[in-house]
Amino acid sequence: MNDIFVQKLLNEPLFKGLSPEKLSDMLNGELSLRRKDFSKGEMIFRRGAKTDCFGLVLSGKVIIERSGYTGSRNILSAVDSGQIFAEVYACSGSPLMVSAAAETDCSILFLSVDSILCSECEVILKNLLNIMASKNLTLTRKINCLTPKTIRGRLTEYLSSVYEMKSSAQFDIPFSRQQLADFLNVDRSALSAEIGKMSAEQLIVCRKNRFTLCKSFLSDMHMI
């Protein structure tokens, strides 16, 4: 592995804390990995399949989704560069209950769970555990977003959770309008209408995927 690639991996959460020499040795020996490029819209993992590897996004974006038998689509999360996906299924050996698709052209590094376990590298194992714990919290936030019965309630819950994570009243979300509707499991037109109403009430300001939470919104949510 060349030095540039090793340095790029050292900046990713999974390999945080490793020395360049240690990571280079592991990549050339202990770790089983392969790199593959995917085109926009291409399926990376399909629901129902099994895998002993998980993916690390080197570039681009991956969408984790679950399609119902009636054709409905529910987006669970967006995976950006530096993040991993399918690690729970690779560790458990269970069939995937979701699919992973390339949202953009992307490059994925696939890592074997068995090779990580055999590497005796506590740093990577600790990082993997921390990432999985963080994702568990994200899933809890997702459930909280789907608990309200109204579109406004779901949107408010989602925007509030992003505010808490970013500690900022202005932020970009990783979804298009359709993807946000799929994430919240609501109709896109109805969601757009609700965003329009909340903007008119000066609760939020929305410009494409950038949201600004106004003081009235934060006050209603007891955030200020």
Side-chain angles (χ1 to χ4, degrees), residues 49-205:
K50 288 187 176 183
T51 180
D52 57 1
C53 298
F54 63 92
L56 167 64
V57 182
L58 297 175
S59 64
K61 178 187 288 188
V62 173
I63 288 293
I64 307 301
E65 61 184 27
R66 192 176 194 277
S67 299
Y69 295 108
T70 60
S72 60
R73 184 190 187 207
N74 185 13
I75 292 180
L76 302 180
S77 63
V79 187
D80 291 312
S81 178
Q83 298 178 325
I84 64 175
F85 61 98
E87 69 282 357
V88 172
Y89 298 101
C91 289
S92 67
S94 301
L96 276 78
M97 295 187 289
V98 297
S99 297
E103 173 65 10
T104 64
D105 291 347
C106 58
S107 181
I108 309 297
L109 184 69
F110 293 97
L111 298 101
S112 164
V113 169
D114 287 342
S115 69
I116 290 178
L117 294 176
C118 293
S119 69
E120 298 182 357
C121 183
E122 294 182 0
V123 174
I124 294 182
L125 292 176
K126 181 180 178 180
N127 290 341
L128 181 59
L129 182 60
N130 286 336
I131 292 171
M132 293 172 71
S134 178
K135 285 192 172 185
N136 201 19
L137 292 176
T138 300
L139 181 58
T140 300
R141 294 189 184 101
K142 161 78 171 180
I143 294 172
N144 290 339
C145 290
L146 297 181
T147 299
K149 295 182 179 180
T150 65
I151 295 176
R152 176 169 294 203
R154 294 186 179 190
L155 179 60
T156 297
E157 186 68 39
Y158 174 71
L159 295 177
S160 299
S161 68
V162 178
Y163 168 81
E164 291 172 349
M165 285 188 294
K166 295 184 177 291
S167 299
S168 173
Q170 185 177 86
F171 47 78
D172 293 335
I173 65 171
F175 301 126
S176 66
R177 186 61 54 85
Q178 181 60 61
Q179 290 170 342
L180 179 59
D182 292 338
F183 181 82
L184 297 176
N185 198 24
V186 298
D187 177 75
R188 175 181 175 176
S189 297
L191 174 63
S192 295
E194 194 59 55
I195 290 175
K197 291 178 183 178
M198 293 178 71
S199 297
E201 295 171 21
Q202 297 184 344
L203 293 171
I204 62 173
V205 176

Side-chain angles (χ1 to χ4, degrees), residues 206-223:
C206 178
R207 297 288 185 273
K208 294 186 177 180
N209 68 330
R210 168 158 290 194
F211 284 83
T212 301
L213 307 185
C214 301
K215 287 186 177 180
S216 51
F217 179 101
L218 298 175
S219 178
D220 288 346
M221 295 298 103
H222 307 291
M223 294 178 176

